[in-house]
Amino acid sequence: MKSGFAVLIGRSNVGKSTLLNTLVGTKIAATSFRAQMTRQIIHGALNTPEGQIVFVDTPGIFKDKKSNLTGKLIEKAKEALEGVDVIIYVVDPSREIGDEELYTYGLIRHLDIPKILVINKSDLHKSERKHQEKYEGWKDDFDTTMSLSALRGSHIEPLRNKVMELLPEGEPMYPTEQLTNVNDFFWTGEIIREKIFSVFDKEVPYSITVEVENIEDKPDLFVIKALILTDQERYKKLIIGKGGQKIKEFGQMARRELEAALNKKVFLELEVEVDKHWVERI
């Protein structure tokens, strides 16, 4: 049996969380077009007759904005590189190589661990992937270079097979019925946060989080109570919206996805509070 950890690393918004979900075959990590969606180390276990791969999603490297949150997320990404068996470095060929990319590349280049360069977004037209050749120029520093689409699920199987080939022999890290390290409270909060970002564009800053306070499993429905935390009163008003319109909109979106995933009715109670210190708990 093969068994081990394969870490997904890259700058923000290259598609790591989407790739994790596609590799495992179910939605574990929340996804968004916004940077810094992933804030914790998230595991997704894939079991095959050959063994078990634990894919590790990490916060994206985001250096344009200096803040306590950004600093903490970069440290989490660095920590995730410790003790892994394979590094999957995900890049976006529609974006030029800049400071974030060079910083991320520098984190892994010297590590004596099998490395795979994944050039994501192969579904984009060639004219949109204008920086692909520059990324391909790094291939000598990697064991393998692959082009795929995490969103469309194309050319995923070769990546799974290559990771399994590079893993050491060993016993599974997770029992076969457990797919991830995150609990129901964390996962539910991530779904709600994902929907908030899908409703708002740049109006709502990165400085919000969702803390699920209680999940009650009743015979005919789940009752979920969650707090949306932001660091300024003006953002609280924005998130709620006039007459509660915005909170109702993303609340309905979250409820529909939760009901589909849980196969049960959901009553979702959302409140918004100002907490200037929530980042300290990340």
Side-chain angles (χ1 to χ4, degrees), residues 24-56:
V24 176
T26 190
K27 185 170 181 177
I28 293 173
T31 60
S32 172
F33 64 90
R34 295 284 294 273
Q36 296 186 326
M37 186 65 195
T38 302
R39 294 176 177 171
Q40 300 292 344
I41 305 302
I42 299 175
H43 293 179
L46 173 68
N47 296 288
T48 75
E50 291 74 36
Q52 183 184 82
I53 308 170
V54 180
F55 293 103
V56 183

Side-chain angles (χ1 to χ4, degrees), residues 189-216:
E190 289 293 272
I191 295 300
I192 297 167
R193 189 163 62 94
E194 176 188 88
K195 302 314 175 191
I196 295 171
F197 282 151
S198 72
V199 166
F200 294 95
D201 187 11
K202 299 290 177 65
E203 305 100 318
V204 172
Y206 303 110
S207 55
I208 68 160
T209 194
V210 177
E211 293 182 358
V212 175
E213 293 188 309
N214 190 51
I215 300 177
E216 186 179 358

Side-chain angles (χ1 to χ4, degrees), residues 4 31 63 88-89 97 104 122 129 139 196 213 229 248 259:
T31 60
K63 295 185 69 71
I88 302 171
Y89 182 34
I97 297 171
T104 311
S122 64
R129 293 182 280 115
K139 65 182 180 181
I196 295 171
E213 293 188 309
L229 302 177
K248 181 179 180 181
E259 287 179 341

Side-chain angles (χ1 to χ4, degrees), residues 8 15-29 31 44 46 55 120 148-157 159-160:
L8 300 162
K16 298 185 301 300
S17 297
T18 302
L19 182 56
L20 172 79
N21 294 336
T22 303
L23 284 163
V24 176
T26 190
K27 185 170 181 177
I28 293 173
T31 60
L46 173 68
F55 293 103
N120 193 19
L148 55 77
S149 171
L151 183 65
R152 303 298 179 194
S154 61
H155 301 101
I156 295 296
E157 198 60 30
L159 177 57
R160 290 193 187 109

Side-chain angles (χ1 to χ4, degrees), residues 60-83:
I61 303 298
F62 183 67
K63 295 185 69 71
D64 288 345
K65 182 179 179 181
K66 295 191 188 314
S67 68
N68 289 338
L69 177 60
T70 296
K72 286 197 170 195
L73 297 187
I74 289 175
E75 287 305 310
K76 284 180 181 288
K78 288 180 181 178
E79 290 169 12
L81 292 169
E82 298 175 7

Side-chain angles (χ1 to χ4, degrees), residues 228 230-241 271-274:
I228 300 162
T230 184
D231 61 355
Q232 294 187 42
E233 186 67 34
R234 63 190 176 108
Y235 294 134
K236 175 181 177 178
K237 293 178 181 178
L238 192 65
I239 292 165
I240 294 172
E271 292 185 17
V272 186
E273 292 187 1
V274 177

